Amino acid sequence: MPVHEITDPDDDRIADYRALTDVELRTRWEPPHGLFIAEGELVLRRALRAGYPARSYLVDAKRVDQLADLDTGETPVYAATPDVLQRATGFHVHRGVLASFRRKPLPSAAEVLATARRVVILEDVNNHTNLGAIFRAVAALGVDAVLLSPTCADPLYRRSVRVSMGEVFAIPYAKLEPWPDALGQVRAAGFTVLAMTPAPDAVPIQRLDAGQRARAAVLMGAEGAGLTGAAMAASDVRVVIPMRRGVDSLNVAAATAVACWELGRDDPL
């Protein structure tokens, strides 16, 4: 595996990795250029298994052997000292392994719905940590897909990918637009749209009937703000996770995990 040494953090060959902590810059750079960054060996290998083509690899020079078994083909492997890595990326790359991958075309919402039995729909979830945690919960708890309102964060942003432990590669997702009118498309595909809310007069999630559970689309809002009135009005059932000790709500990722577990608790393992 040929390895190219990088000694200058401004080397154009590693432009894909520049200023990785600048969310605004990366948001303007990555999707338009059709790329995303994977951090850590585990996430990198999951991206490869999911069929994402690698553009390049950037590793700590002392960890090159971690990739020795990969068939990198024509994809360049760059190695640098921790200091050069930090100056190029903007943070201490303690996992020592980064890779730049090409994105794949997103399926349409209709394509995702056609093969799903249970989905999670997110409105305005723009915190990358929450988004990554939601994808990990969805993968672990038997939900088939995620649909995103146009204002949601990018699931392939580095932090989302890392927090999901690469599960964003395993779960189909699509944009659902126009928002919120496209929720009608979900309903037309045979799903019951369950709007999650802390409202005390909503239906406790454990009281949903079999018909409401059969093909559930769990609709989650942003942290703090919750669902908009328009999204709530476009849903079928308002649903609450009952709380104790005066707690009014859960973090959106935790609430998603609870809802996914409850709806799938009788599924065969």
Side-chain angles (χ1 to χ4, degrees):
M1 181 178 67
V3 177
H4 308 277
E5 183 182 4
I6 300 293
T7 58
D8 180 359
D10 294 321
D11 192 315
D12 285 341
R13 291 177 294 176
I14 59 168
D16 283 2
Y17 305 93
R18 198 155 292 145
L20 292 183
T21 58
D22 188 328
V23 177
E24 183 178 352
L25 174 64
R26 299 307 304 187
T27 300
R28 293 199 312 266
W29 172 265
E30 291 184 12
H33 287 80
L35 66 92
F36 69 90
I37 301 299
E39 179 185 353
E41 183 183 357
L42 182 149
V43 172
L44 178 158
R45 290 179 183 274
R46 287 185 174 174
L48 289 171
R49 286 200 298 271
Y52 287 91
R55 290 163 57 97
S56 65
Y57 302 95
L58 178 61
V59 299
D60 183 325
K62 295 180 180 179
R63 301 200 187 190
V64 170
D65 288 347
Q66 289 182 220
L67 305 185
D69 62 311
L70 293 183
D71 180 6
T72 57
E74 300 296 319
T75 306
V77 179
Y78 302 117
T81 64
D83 177 65
V84 171
L85 289 176
Q86 182 165 356
R87 288 161 60 200
T89 64
F91 73 104
H92 174 57
V93 187
H94 63 277
R95 289 177 174 82
V97 177
L98 296 166
S100 174
F101 285 93
R102 295 183 181 89
R103 292 175 181 246
K104 297 191 289 189
L106 282 183
S108 68
E111 290 171 318
V112 167
L113 291 168
T115 58
R117 182 172 63 94
R118 190 179 299 131
V119 301
V120 163
I121 306 174
L122 304 178
E123 180 187 41
D124 297 345
V125 176
N126 47 34
N127 179 286
H128 293 100
T129 299
N130 282 335
L131 191 61
I134 287 170
F135 268 86
R136 191 174 183 186
V138 163
L141 298 170
V143 173
D144 302 305
V146 175
L147 297 175
L148 307 168
S149 77
T151 52
C152 282
D154 176 15
L156 293 184
Y157 179 69
R158 177 179 58 89
R159 190 176 302 135
S160 297
V161 172
R162 185 187 70 216
V163 171
S164 80
M165 296 298 290
E167 297 300 345
V168 294
F169 309 136
I171 298 299
Y173 68 91
K175 291 291 181 72
L176 189 61
E177 49 192 348
W179 185 264
D181 294 348
L183 287 169
Q185 180 183 350
V186 179
R187 189 178 298 105
F191 291 84
T192 301
V193 180
L194 307 177
M196 301 302 298
T197 172
D201 62 341
V203 178
I205 190 167
Q206 69 270 31
R207 305 273 171 78
L208 291 170
D209 62 37
Q212 293 166 329
R213 291 168 174 268
R215 299 194 73 202
V218 181
L219 178 57
M220 307 295 301
E223 190 78 15
L227 291 169
T228 62
M232 196 79 73
S235 67
D236 295 305
V237 187
R238 294 163 64 249
V239 179
V240 62
I241 298 171
M243 300 285 155
R244 294 172 173 81
R245 296 187 175 88
V247 177
D248 62 349
S249 64
L250 296 174
N251 162 276
V252 64
T256 302
V258 171
C260 290
W261 182 87
E262 169 61 27
L263 292 169
R265 60 183 165 82
D266 294 328
D267 291 352
L269 295 176

